[in-house]
Each structure stands twice: as structure tokens, then as C-alpha cells.
Amino acid sequence: SLARRVVQDSGAASLPELMNQRLTGVTVNEIQGNPFQADVNYRGFTASPLLGTPQGLSVYQDGVRINEPFGDIVNWDLIPRMAISGIDLIPGSNPLFGLNTLGGALSIHTKNGLKDPGATLEAEVGSFGRRSASAEFSGKVGELGVYVAGTAFRDDGWRDFSPSKVDQFFGKLSHRNGPLEMDLTWTHADTDLIGN
């Protein structure tokens, strides 16, 4: 389980990189040579964006399964790291999490305006032309909360002719009425990931 502060302070570019750094039993293979196209392995079971890889982990974002219907693949580039409030990795095969939950389930919780007010701006520069900028805003009016986050990531790659471009947007509208909370979430990504 990862708390919000650990996620924010990790400095990881992508969710697989974050899990590799902070979750016990998780290893990452960047077979495609791209941080957003990694195979995440947990106790011998895999969640991968590569069609044909036997999938053994289910991935949920705010209770909604985000494994693609065709091939059960996981598009890591659709999950903005800045919007993550917490991560739980539930080990074992459990039919509660649906098909191909052979090794476990990854549950990602995102921020909302009701619990996480404020604004943040981040910029990073690194080797091989890596640069990124991220911004988030969160606020509430009465029982209505708004959260928006965006990330622009560029990387020239460690090989020639293997650049990456990732633009992510995440928005969440939340409403609380007594013990009930309703959320409307929108995730969008525009990517150009050139691996092998």
C-alpha cells in the first residue's frame, strides 16, 4: 500500500516506475524501451501493455477496471501519476476482481476536490532529453469538489530514433451528500511512444 506523500515524493515518471521503486515483490521490465510501456510483474504474474502477454493482474482506478477488454492489456500511459492519491496491491487470486486476477489486483485511488484542496506545479529535466511539466488544481464549493491535473512529458530515448511524447489530462467532479459520495471522472491521454 502506498500513501499519497510517497507517491508525490517518488520522482517517478510513470506508474510502473513508481511501483518498481516502492512496492515489495514488484519488478518492471521495459521490453519496449519506454517507461510508459513496461511489463509489471508481481510474484510471477504480469500486467502489460503488450498484446499477447499472458495477463495475471487486474488493475482498477477508483473501482473501475482499466484492463482493456481486448487482451486484458493495461495502458500505463493513461494513468497520470500526479492524480494518484494512493495505491493498494492485493495479493492472491480472488474472483471478486474478475477474470485473469491470478496473481492479484492493483487498486489505484485518485485525488478529489473534497479531500485534497490546493494547487501544485512541477517541472523536471533529465538526461536523454527527458523533460516534463505537471500541474494540478483542486478545490471545493460546499459539497461539490473539482480536481484537474495535466502532464506533458517528452523524452528523446536512450537509443536513436526512440522518442516519447505523453500528454495526460485527468478531471474529477465530486459531490458529497451525507454518507454518499458521487464522482464523475474523465481521463485522457495523447501519446506517441516509440520503442522497438
Side-chain angles (χ1 to χ4, degrees), residues 57-132:
L57 298 173
S58 297
V59 182
Y60 287 83
Q61 181 177 308
D62 291 330
V64 177
R65 187 170 174 138
I66 59 173
N67 296 74
E68 293 290 330
F70 184 66
D72 236 13
I73 64 170
V74 181
N75 292 315
W76 300 114
D77 52 312
L78 288 175
I79 306 168
R81 181 190 57 82
M82 181 167 254
I84 296 173
S85 172
I87 299 172
D88 293 310
L89 184 57
I90 300 106
S93 179
N94 190 334
L96 178 68
F97 293 108
L99 296 174
N100 290 335
T101 309
L102 304 171
L106 180 68
S107 178
I108 302 163
H109 315 283
T110 58
K111 300 175 185 175
N112 67 39
L114 297 172
K115 299 174 187 169
D116 306 292
T120 306
L121 182 63
E122 289 181 5
E124 298 175 356
V125 177
S127 57
F128 301 108
R130 178 174 285 193
R131 59 218 178 270
S132 71

Side-chain angles (χ1 to χ4, degrees), residues 157-171:
W158 55 272
R159 289 184 310 260
D160 290 338
F161 311 112
S162 59
S164 298
K165 172 182 125 352
V166 177
D167 294 321
Q168 299 170 324
F169 178 81
F170 178 83

